Amino acid sequence: MANVYKGFDQQELDIQYKAAATVPNMQDFIDDYISLSSIARDTLDCISDLKFGPSDTETLDLFPVPDAKNVPLFIFIHGGYWRMLSKNESSFMAPNLVKNGIAVASINYTLVPPANIDQIVAECRRAIKWLYDNSVNYNIDRDRIFVGGSSAGGHLTGMMVAGGWQEEHDLPIDVVKGGLPISGLFDLEPIVKCFVNEWMQMSIEDGQRNSPVENLPEIGCPLIVAVGGDETNEFRRQSKDFSNLWQSRGWKANYLECRDLNHFNAPLELCKSNSQMTEELLAMIN
């Protein structure tokens, strides 16, 4: 078969990006997201369904830190290849972070279809704008906003720390003070060329416009670029390459390959008080 991307033929490229095929049952991990996020909403102070944009899907859940003022904020963006999941399964890390004095926001975005990649990126940026503008109402320090996400959410984290969008939202260029992309997609060219584009319907130009590697900022914030050690070569390469690119500009990026973890349980490290991912995130924020 013909070379499609970096020496991969079509079948091989598709295998590299079929994250669900790397575990016996993806739903087991999604069930964990659901149950742990439900516990977070039931046991913590939670302000649900705050509306940050014009569409019905542009909502977020906010977990403030009780009896505290001017706390940092961690925004989490869910994965699901831009077409699955929501904020409702994506606040599993809130108990661990809130107890460490960090507010958490889990954000929704419109899925594909009907959305396209430009719309999804724009919605996530509107969420940051809304949280920045409304920070004082929730005792958040708007000068300590951090963003993370997994898989497609890792890609979107990359687009939140990217340059070229803050000015149009009347935001400082360093509005995001640090990022934690987990199993992110930073170069969308292979996504345009593999099975994922059956639903994404992206052109090469769409992919370039929405690739973090093509939209580096003037000044890069600190990053923790995490990936599961048991993920495919391509997912690990994407994270390693982005970390190296960031560092090549003189910016701080810690590449964190989580040993014996897969695409779906790597983000659950944020639920553990003593995991390396938690410790590195707390160090970055504090």
Side-chain angles (χ1 to χ4, degrees), residues 17 21 25 46 49 51 60 83 93-94 104 120 128 138 152 172 197 201 203 211 265 269:
Y17 286 96
N25 186 4
C46 177
D49 300 319
K51 193 167 174 57
L60 61 87
R83 67 168 182 169
M93 78 300 298
V104 173
I120 291 171
I128 293 176
Y138 302 102
N197 214 32
Q201 296 293 299
S203 66
S211 288
N265 61 10
E269 292 294 280

Side-chain angles (χ1 to χ4, degrees), residues 10-278:
Q10 190 64 63
Q11 182 180 11
E12 291 169 337
L13 184 62
D14 287 346
I15 288 171
Q16 286 294 316
Y17 286 96
K18 284 184 178 174
T22 63
V23 295
N25 186 4
M26 175 182 72
Q27 189 61 44
D28 289 341
F29 301 100
I30 294 175
D31 288 344
D32 288 339
Y33 301 167
I34 293 169
S35 62
L36 291 168
S37 296
S38 178
I39 289 169
R41 289 191 298 274
D42 291 343
T43 58
L44 301 176
D45 289 348
C46 177
I47 307 166
S48 300
D49 300 319
L50 289 166
K51 193 167 174 57
F52 64 80
S55 70
D56 291 340
T57 49
E58 289 176 82
T59 60
L60 61 87
D61 291 346
L62 182 64
F63 298 84
V65 178
D67 305 317
K69 293 186 177 181
N70 294 321
V71 300
L73 173 68
F74 179 71
I75 301 169
F76 189 79
I77 310 174
H78 71 82
Y81 260 148
W82 304 281
R83 67 168 182 169
M84 293 172 53
L85 303 179
S86 72
K87 66 177 176 58
N88 298 333
E89 305 87 25
S90 306
S91 54
F92 42 82
M93 78 300 298
N96 189 29
L97 297 187
V98 168
K99 77 179 182 182
N100 280 285
I102 301 164
V104 173
S106 175
I107 67 173
N108 240 17
Y109 52 85
T110 308
L111 300 176
V112 174
N116 59 30
I117 193 66
D118 290 306
Q119 179 182 343
I120 291 171
V121 169
E123 289 182 5
C124 293
R125 290 171 172 173
R126 278 199 290 271
I128 293 176
K129 166 68 172 174
W130 189 92
L131 286 160
Y132 182 88
D133 287 347
N134 291 277
S135 57
V136 68
N137 299 327
Y138 302 102
N139 296 318
I140 290 166
D141 181 353
R142 70 180 190 177
D143 292 322
R144 289 193 290 166
I145 293 175
F146 299 81
V147 180
S150 176
S151 194
H155 158 259
L156 293 166
T157 298
M159 291 303 290
M160 299 307 104
V161 301
W165 67 274
Q166 295 87 353
E167 184 176 357
E168 66 180 280
H169 289 279
D170 194 27
L171 291 170
I173 60 171
D174 64 344
V175 59
V176 177
K177 294 301 191 292
L180 171 59
I182 307 168
S183 308
L185 298 158
F186 306 102
D187 178 1
L188 296 188
E189 181 183 351
I191 302 302
V192 173
K193 294 179 175 180
C194 79
F195 73 100
V196 181
N197 214 32
E198 293 171 10
W199 59 83
M200 291 306 296
Q201 296 293 299
M202 288 188 290
S203 66
I204 287 291
E205 292 74 22
D206 294 334
Q208 291 173 338
R209 191 169 57 251
N210 291 285
S211 288
V213 297
E214 302 287 351
N215 294 276
L216 296 178
E218 294 178 28
I219 301 174
C221 63
L223 296 181
I224 303 158
V225 186
V227 67
D230 290 346
E231 299 204 49
T232 66
N233 290 338
E234 270 294 279
F235 270 101
R236 287 184 284 114
R237 180 197 63 79
Q238 286 249 6
S239 288
K240 186 64 174 176
D241 283 0
F242 190 62
S243 178
N244 288 341
L245 177 62
W246 207 257
Q247 292 171 352
S248 75
R249 300 298 178 100
W251 306 328
K252 185 175 181 180
N254 292 342
Y255 175 70
L256 175 59
E257 190 166 305
C258 302
R259 184 177 178 182
D260 298 327
L261 294 178
N262 61 55
H263 188 83
F264 301 98
N265 61 10
L268 295 175
E269 292 294 280
L270 288 175
C271 300
K272 303 174 183 176
S273 60
N274 61 347
S275 71
Q276 186 176 355
M277 191 182 297
T278 292

